[in-house]
Amino acid sequence: MDSMMDKIYLAIPLAPLFGAIIAGFFGAQIGRKGAHSVTILGVGISFILSLVALNHHVFNGAAAYNDSVYIWMVSDNIRFEVGFLVDNLTVMMMSVVTGVSLMVHIYTIGYMADDLHNWPKESLAGTNSYQRFFSYISLFTFSMLMLVMANNFMQLFFGWEAVGLVSYLLIGFWSVRPTAVYANLKAFLVNRVGDFGFILGIAAVVMYTGSLDYYDVFAKAESLSSQSMSIFSGTEWSVISVICILLFVGAMGKSAQIPLHVWLPDSMEGPTPISALIHAATMVTAGIFMVTRMSPLYEWSDAALSFIIVIGALTAFLMGLIGIVQNDIKRVVAYSTLSQLGYMTVALGASAYSAAVFHLMTHAFFKALLFLAAGSVIIAMHHEQDMRKMGGLKKYMPITYWTSLVGSLALIGFPGFSGFFSKDAIIEAVHHSNIPGHEFAYMAVLSGVFITAFYTFRMFFLVFHGEERMDQHTKEHLHETPWVVTLPLILLAIPSVFIGGFTIGDMLFGDYFGSAVYIAENHSGLAEVGKHFHGAWAFVEHAFAGPAIYLAALGVFSAWFIYMKQPDIATNMKNRFIYIYKLLDNKYYMDDINAFVFGGGSRTLGDRLWKVGDVTFIDGLLVNGSARLVGWFAGVTRRLQTGMLYHYAFAMIIGVLMLFAIGLIV
């Protein structure tokens, strides 16, 4: 790597890694100020260099960079290496990841300032927790950058597992809380299910292509589409479909799609900054990015695309419904993430990859904004998260209020806001799609518009409007949070409003992604939408001819009327539809099913393996059995060792006679 850009590409992931190492290993020596300074500096450098790379590729028109950095080994002509693929898709992801991460780092200074109070005095786990947290979030950023910059499946898998590992450390950061320990174990184990499918998909790629390099694999996609495999006797499966579905199983874990979604709401047990980072720019977006990168494979399998669009539709609709009954402010935002990830997945299934990553980009900004705003409220409320104990915070927290409003309007797809352009593009692309299952998906995402608007503004009204329901002590100490908290809110609010309208033309209907995204000629859903695109403002005007904007308005009005004007309606509806409420409140009992079937099954299997395999077979038969056999044999042979010479002479004579007899027989 010789050129200046080569060095820049290398520095982008290494800068956060350097900050993570310094804060992690030398946190006690450099103190709090040193830890947040070095990590913010590292992520800040990475963000600036990402913008340099963005300018180089997008505005200067540089060709895609694809090169090896380090060759680990070559085995049977398969290269295991660290390499970078930097194109327009990559630089967009790099800019989003580092930009949101930088805001989260700054915000963390204020949020974690009093972290010592979260640890028991007698516990040593809280020692240098502030420095350790900054180290983890920087390491998270490094892991995600290695994932998005990869040019081969080995590095992709490294970044894939690295973000999973760091998420485990961050979700369970407050390790003295049993709920946090349970949540990080749940996240780790559920993702192991998805990652098992993912690594099987990578193994199938290597088996049928003999390569781990993206471009080599993509070049063989057409030939893979004509091959079949026999998984079970008498059945033939399309190789390309099996590969694509297995890879998507990995995305179902990372990007929290039904039924592997159960870990994401529980990730709220971690501090709010990491909730923002996980939900906005890192872990959950990894699956969406991966499928987009693999578009040259997925376009050869309608079966895989159909599977994806149905899973995404179910997630978008069902998870949104759960958001309606949540009372924890962070969990409402968490279920909105699940629902929006469903929208992105639906777009992937409709071959609208550009729309999926476009929504990923806009969503990153307004979702980070909503999480950080929720954290600001939690700080002001002395770490109270129940919305039923809030209300009327508008006059106490004006900056948090207005930025929350911006984030909420972007989330529901209010015309002109960033979320509007990306969400409406997905809905229209699905409507014009020809992938089997698109009709169901269209109804699901359209219904999701009303649901999203309803639960979003239910949260907004309960927190900032209406009567003040907090205790007197909390009310007396209510005030706006410090500038290190509010500054990131303001900076995130700006792209939440403007970035969608400024970029929709190039990213969705222009040639922004170029060869980074491949779409087959028969998958023309997004192209059909593009035929009617005549600029951002015309796109807004066109929206008034469709149902989505009116469903969103109805959702906002319903939330205002029920929770601000007639709160008895909510209570009456809950009592009237108590079984539906219990179904939603218990999250369709999926946690219970997982705990009983998979958790209970795993424990039962482990118990049987312990009792039968370990105690009975290994300890009983192999260890103790062999010992008893040796003892028995020794007891028998001991009787033969008499010490009498004539006994030994007699034995020798018998032996000679036996040998003589054997010789005659042979």
Side-chain angles (χ1 to χ4, degrees):
M1 304 183 73
D2 299 322
S3 72
M4 180 58 70
M5 287 307 301
D6 293 343
K7 294 175 182 176
I8 287 174
Y9 298 142
L10 190 58
I12 289 171
L14 290 183
L17 178 62
F18 176 78
I21 292 171
I22 298 298
F25 288 102
F26 305 101
Q29 288 76 24
I30 64 176
R32 288 189 164 203
K33 188 175 181 179
H36 70 235
S37 297
V38 72
T39 52
I40 290 173
L41 178 64
V43 174
I45 290 171
S46 185
F47 175 58
I48 293 169
L49 295 180
S50 295
L51 294 180
V52 171
L54 180 76
N55 178 70
H56 181 65
H57 287 273
V58 176
F59 298 106
N60 294 339
Y65 174 89
N66 182 32
D67 200 4
S68 173
V69 177
Y70 171 73
I71 299 174
W72 178 37
M73 69 175 181
V74 179
S75 177
D76 198 22
N77 294 321
I78 300 172
R79 294 164 61 92
F80 298 83
E81 62 185 15
V82 176
F84 293 153
L85 170 58
V86 184
D87 53 17
N88 286 11
L89 173 61
T90 310
V91 294
M92 185 274 287
M93 288 295 300
M94 286 158 45
S95 302
V96 170
V97 170
T98 54
V100 172
S101 179
L102 180 60
M103 296 298 102
V104 169
H105 275 71
I106 296 171
Y107 178 92
T108 302
I109 298 174
Y111 193 89
M112 299 296 285
D114 297 322
D115 186 55
L116 285 176
H117 298 300
N118 295 312
W119 303 88
K121 291 182 179 179
E122 66 278 6
S123 174
L124 296 176
T127 306
N128 298 323
S129 64
Y130 183 90
Q131 296 95 310
R132 190 168 73 251
F133 188 83
F134 272 97
S135 175
Y136 288 168
I137 58 177
S138 268
L139 188 61
F140 209 174
T141 308
F142 159 75
S143 303
M144 190 65 186
L145 287 170
M146 290 297 288
L147 188 156
V148 301
M149 296 177 72
N151 73 344
N152 63 86
F153 285 92
M154 190 200 80
Q155 186 177 327
L156 173 69
F157 189 72
F158 164 77
W160 196 266
E161 294 303 315
V163 294
L165 171 63
V166 184
S167 72
Y168 171 85
L169 297 173
L170 285 164
I171 294 170
F173 183 76
W174 288 321
S175 55
V176 293
R177 300 180 182 179
T179 52
V181 174
Y182 178 79
N184 71 353
L185 282 172
K186 189 176 183 180
F188 192 79
L189 293 174
V190 171
N191 272 277
R192 296 290 66 72
V193 177
D195 292 355
F196 182 66
F198 189 60
I199 199 167
L200 286 178
I202 294 175
V205 167
V206 176
M207 178 185 271
Y208 284 93
T209 67
S211 177
L212 286 165
D213 184 84
Y214 287 167
Y215 283 178
D216 290 346
V217 174
F218 296 162
K220 299 175 182 178
E222 186 174 1
S223 65
L224 289 176
S225 66
S226 60
Q227 298 182 49
S228 60
M229 65 169 69
S230 180
I231 301 177
F232 304 105
S233 178
T235 59
E236 294 291 323
W237 298 69
S238 166
V239 169
I240 194 75
S241 294
V242 170
I243 288 173
C244 289
I245 290 174
L246 285 173
L247 291 175
F248 180 68
V249 169
M252 288 170 66
K254 281 288 180 289
S255 295
Q257 299 296 293
I258 284 179
L260 301 182
H261 69 282
V262 293
W263 67 271
L264 192 59
D266 286 355
S267 69
M268 299 300 98
E269 292 295 331
T272 299
I274 192 53
S275 301
L277 200 54
I278 287 177
H279 286 244
T282 53
M283 189 163 167
V284 297
T285 61
I288 309 299
F289 166 80
M290 184 275 294
V291 176
T292 303
R293 177 61 80 193
M294 302 299 149
S295 60
L297 297 179
Y298 281 90
E299 285 301 283
W300 291 98
S301 175
D302 279 6
L305 292 175
S306 186
F307 178 72
I308 292 171
I309 201 170
V310 171
I311 291 292
L314 288 170
T315 306
F317 179 72
L318 296 177
M319 295 301 105
L321 289 176
I322 298 178
I324 295 174
V325 302
Q326 297 299 307
N327 294 309
D328 185 312
I329 185 172
K330 285 176 66 176
R331 286 187 178 265
V332 176
V333 185
Y335 278 102
S336 80
T337 300
L338 282 168
S339 183
Q340 298 308 304
L341 286 168
Y343 275 84
M344 299 176 208
T345 304
V346 164
L348 295 174
S351 289
Y353 305 99
S354 301
V357 291
F358 182 53
H359 193 49
L360 183 158
M361 178 187 70
T362 61
H363 174 265
F365 294 112
F366 65 72
K367 185 52 54 72
L369 171 59
L370 284 172
F371 263 115
L372 298 187
S376 178
V377 170
I378 292 168
I379 294 171
M381 291 292 298
H382 297 193
H383 294 275
E384 176 61 66
Q385 296 182 196
D386 192 334
M387 298 186 299
R388 294 169 296 184
K389 299 178 182 179
M390 300 179 187
L393 293 183
K394 177 184 177 181
K395 66 179 180 182
Y396 301 103
M397 308 177 71
I399 298 175
T400 302
Y401 171 81
W402 288 108
T403 51
S404 294
L405 179 60
V406 168
S408 299
L409 291 172
L411 174 59
I412 71 168
F414 189 84
F417 285 67
S418 293
F420 161 79
F421 293 103
S422 55
K423 184 184 284 188
D424 216 60
I426 291 173
I427 294 170
E428 290 299 312
V430 174
H431 183 58
H432 289 90
S433 175
N434 57 4
I435 300 296
H438 78 275
E439 300 95 342
F440 168 71
Y442 179 67
M443 295 305 298
V445 295
L446 206 56
S447 304
V449 173
F450 170 82
I451 296 167
T452 302
F454 183 80
Y455 68 66
T456 301
F457 273 86
R458 170 182 176 265
M459 173 184 68
F460 184 78
F461 290 135
L462 286 176
V463 172
F464 294 105
H465 291 275
E467 61 177 304
E468 299 171 357
R469 297 177 296 277
M470 68 287 293
D471 60 70
Q472 190 61 35
H473 176 75
T474 303
K475 186 186 293 188
E476 290 173 356
H477 293 84
L478 275 175
H479 57 83
E480 188 61 89
T481 44
W483 71 268
V484 288
V485 174
T486 56
L487 178 62
L489 299 182
I490 296 169
L491 295 177
L492 286 167
I494 296 170
S496 298
V497 177
F498 298 110
I499 199 167
F502 281 127
T503 59
I504 182 174
D506 292 328
M507 292 190 79
L508 291 194
F509 310 114
D511 194 35
Y512 175 86
F513 291 109
S515 60
V517 173
Y518 170 73
I519 301 175
E521 292 183 2
N522 60 324
H523 297 159
S524 57
L526 191 60
E528 288 295 320
V529 180
K531 292 178 181 179
H532 307 285
F533 181 77
H534 304 290
W537 182 248
F539 193 80
V540 174
E541 292 179 334
H542 178 72
F544 285 92
I549 193 169
Y550 301 105
L551 287 170
L554 181 62
V556 174
F557 175 78
S558 300
W560 171 79
F561 185 77
I562 293 174
Y563 292 98
M564 292 291 99
K565 292 296 181 182
Q566 299 291 333
D568 291 341
I569 294 177
T571 306
N572 294 334
M573 289 183 69
K574 175 184 174 181
N575 295 332
R576 187 172 182 180
F577 302 101
I578 188 65
Y579 294 109
I580 296 175
Y581 174 82
K582 286 183 177 179
L583 181 67
L584 296 176
D585 192 46
N586 288 283
K587 309 158 197 169
Y588 309 111
Y589 298 97
M590 285 190 178
D591 282 337
D592 297 323
I593 294 169
N594 282 326
F596 180 76
V597 177
F598 297 106
S602 299
R603 286 193 297 271
T604 303
L605 178 62
D607 189 61
R608 295 290 183 271
L609 290 173
W610 163 55
K611 290 182 178 178
V612 178
D614 192 19
V615 176
T616 305
F617 183 72
I618 297 174
D619 289 344
L621 184 60
L622 295 182
V623 179
N624 297 331
S626 60
R628 282 193 292 268
L629 179 63
V630 170
W632 173 82
F633 185 75
V636 172
T637 55
R638 191 182 299 117
R639 294 189 178 96
L640 302 175
Q641 301 291 332
T642 64
M644 302 294 181
L645 184 62
Y646 65 88
H647 285 171
Y648 300 139
F650 182 70
M652 290 174 65
I653 292 168
I654 292 176
V656 170
L657 291 173
M658 290 177 67
L659 289 172
F660 183 70
I662 293 170
L664 289 175
I665 295 171
V666 175

